[in-house]
Amino acid sequence: MIPFLDLNQINKPYLPAIEEASLRVLRSGWYILGNELKSFETAFANYCQVRYCIGVANGLDAIGLILRAYEFPEKSEIIVPANTYIASVLPVSYLNLIPVFVEPDPYSMLIDPAKIEEKITSETRAILCVDLYGRSCEMLEIAALAKKYNLKVITDAAQAHGAIYDGQKVGGIADATAFSFYPTKNLGALGDAGAITTNDPLLAERITYLRNYGSKERYKNEFQGVNSRLDEIQAAILNVKLPFLEAENARRRDIARRYLAEIKLPDLVLPPDDRIDQDAWHLFVVRHPDRAAFTGYLDQMGVQTNVHYPLPIHKQKAYATINHYNLPITEEIHQRVISLPLNPVLSDEEVSHIIETVNKYQQ
Ligand SMILES: *Cc1c(COP(=O)(O)O)cnc(C)c1O
């Protein structure tokens, strides 16, 4: 069986260095907001070619802290993609802001810039784009809209560490960008972790306080903040793994290139092939009209697949008040998508086996 993702194999090459780094933290007696976090924040900001990076507890908090820091009035409207993981939208809801869903471009499955403007009202304050599957949204078009209507651009790049758009790394493009280092991401910790990047010094400062109870100096609170800190052990582990992110993304791109060139199955829709060397290929998402039959076959043939995601946000029980929304492109995507295994530890032989197995499928 070729597993969809084997975290044991993913982390194996780094384990000796991770064990050493973790032990160093354990023995240091300093566990929260210390030098490991500082060096990771500097290194990740450099990697993203952006001025500031603030480590936080996870990707969900990263999105929520950006929204909090902007202090949008309650009931402000935030443009969000209808096709995304629920974590992109939950912070909008729990901060009493209103998510306004925009359908994806059927080709890229990312928010369709051509459908944003019709959703902008006098209450709109920001566009939250999600670089889903590892591909940057169309940031030139989105930035033009943001400028025209004086909106903030926030990116959820939880799946897009190292992706490039128009020559720029994701993380330095939007006004503020949220990252997750959940273990399965392109850059994964061995527990929960996240970060925010921005070029805006005031926003960076505010988020630095907000993640630590709103405190600038100990016991002096400027804001009603939260507890969302990236701990020293996870920061030390990320410091070990970050230098290898480029090489891992390069391996992902090589596999994506082979899938795109060699998979030939009439009914299967492949992901965009126009930016192979810019996309971060967190997932390789194909679409098939009979998903159950196709994934059943792959499973029988020893290829484990996954579905990102089976049920759209507006159809979730958690969003019962908007279950009636009609978002046909999003709904069709959720019925058809299948993620093939794509990760840096797949061997060339395994990639060949996956390609041959897919191509041999007969309805
Ligand atoms: C993983 C993910 C998140 C949430 O990150 P956590 O660290 O699990 O909170 C948010 N958005 C997207 C698109 C994700 O893939």
Side-chain angles (χ1 to χ4, degrees), residues 58-61 63 84-85 87-88 130 132 156 158-159 180-182 185 192-193 282 309:
N58 55 64
L60 180 82
D61 280 6
I63 301 162
T84 183
Y85 181 50
S88 308
V130 183
L132 204 64
D156 172 354
Q159 302 189 355
S180 163
F181 308 113
Y182 184 77
K185 309 291 187 188
D192 276 309
H282 175 61
Y309 297 90

Side-chain angles (χ1 to χ4, degrees), residues 11-68:
N11 288 313
K12 210 176 201 167
Y14 310 116
L15 270 193
I18 286 175
E19 285 168 13
E20 192 188 308
S22 309
L23 209 54
R24 188 174 66 233
V25 175
L26 292 180
R27 288 174 175 162
S28 75
W30 195 288
Y31 311 118
I32 299 274
L33 298 181
N35 290 331
E36 293 290 346
L37 177 61
K38 278 209 190 86
S39 27
F40 176 68
E41 288 173 334
T42 305
F44 195 65
N46 286 339
Y47 176 80
C48 295
Q49 299 157 352
V50 65
R51 283 172 75 187
Y52 305 101
C53 169
I54 307 104
V56 298
N58 55 64
L60 180 82
D61 280 6
I63 301 162
L65 282 164
I66 293 168
L67 292 168
R68 237 177 233 279

Side-chain angles (χ1 to χ4, degrees), residues 81-340:
N83 179 39
T84 183
Y85 181 50
I86 194 168
S88 308
V89 178
L90 284 171
V92 176
S93 303
Y94 70 60
L95 290 168
N96 294 317
L97 304 166
I98 301 183
V100 175
F101 292 89
V102 171
E103 285 263 65
D105 170 342
Y107 173 65
S108 70
M109 298 182 272
L110 306 182
I111 193 167
D112 188 344
K115 293 189 174 147
I116 293 176
E117 194 163 17
E118 67 201 54
K119 296 293 176 81
I120 295 173
T121 73
S122 58
E123 304 304 313
T124 311
R125 293 290 172 271
I127 303 170
L128 172 61
C129 359
V130 183
D131 297 346
L132 204 64
Y133 316 137
R135 177 182 172 91
S136 170
C137 295
E138 298 300 331
M139 299 308 282
L140 285 170
E141 285 161 271
I142 290 168
L145 282 170
K147 193 166 176 217
K148 182 169 171 190
Y149 293 97
N150 192 25
L151 309 174
K152 296 293 180 196
V153 179
I154 301 166
T155 294
D156 172 354
Q159 302 189 355
H161 322 69
I164 293 167
Y165 177 84
D166 195 30
Q168 255 185 300
K169 275 243 174 71
V170 159
I173 303 172
D175 292 307
T177 304
F179 288 93
S180 163
F181 308 113
Y182 184 77
T184 60
K185 309 291 187 188
N186 285 33
L187 178 60
L190 271 57
D192 276 309
I196 293 153
T197 58
T198 181
N199 282 310
D200 176 345
L202 291 177
L203 186 78
E205 189 184 31
R206 194 180 273 255
I207 290 169
T208 307
Y209 305 154
L210 279 175
R211 74 168 171 193
N212 190 29
Y213 304 119
S215 162
K216 183 173 186 174
E217 275 173 67
R218 213 171 186 193
Y219 305 132
K220 290 209 176 145
N221 300 72
E222 320 276 307
F223 310 102
Q224 296 178 4
V226 300
N227 173 354
S228 183
R229 300 169 299 218
L230 199 177
D231 72 73
E232 288 288 285
I233 292 184
Q234 296 308 327
I237 291 167
L238 290 167
N239 279 327
V240 169
K241 291 182 71 179
L242 177 59
F244 302 96
L245 175 58
E246 279 299 280
E248 292 205 342
N249 277 352
R251 175 67 186 150
R252 287 176 184 273
R253 287 167 179 146
D254 285 342
I255 297 169
R257 196 180 341 272
R258 281 199 60 195
Y259 282 168
L260 289 164
E262 298 173 45
I263 292 180
K264 295 193 191 314
L265 184 69
D267 275 337
L268 200 69
V269 179
L270 299 180
D273 60 357
D274 57 338
R275 288 192 224 146
I276 297 177
D277 287 314
Q278 285 79 49
D279 295 350
W281 298 102
H282 175 61
L283 297 170
F284 192 89
V285 177
V286 299
R287 280 169 278 178
H288 194 280
D290 189 352
R291 176 167 68 198
F294 183 57
T295 56
Y297 158 81
L298 290 175
D299 195 66
Q300 261 186 353
M301 299 296 286
V303 177
Q304 194 181 41
T305 57
N306 224 317
V307 173
H308 300 92
Y309 297 90
L311 191 63
I313 298 172
H314 71 282
K315 294 293 179 195
Q316 298 281 353
K317 210 170 157 191
Y319 278 92
T321 54
I322 61 166
N323 282 176
H324 62 281
Y325 278 16
N326 180 33
L327 297 161
I329 302 173
T330 299
E331 285 160 33
E332 190 181 312
I333 286 173
H334 283 74
Q335 278 161 19
R336 295 187 173 200
V337 284
I338 301 140
S339 304
L340 298 180

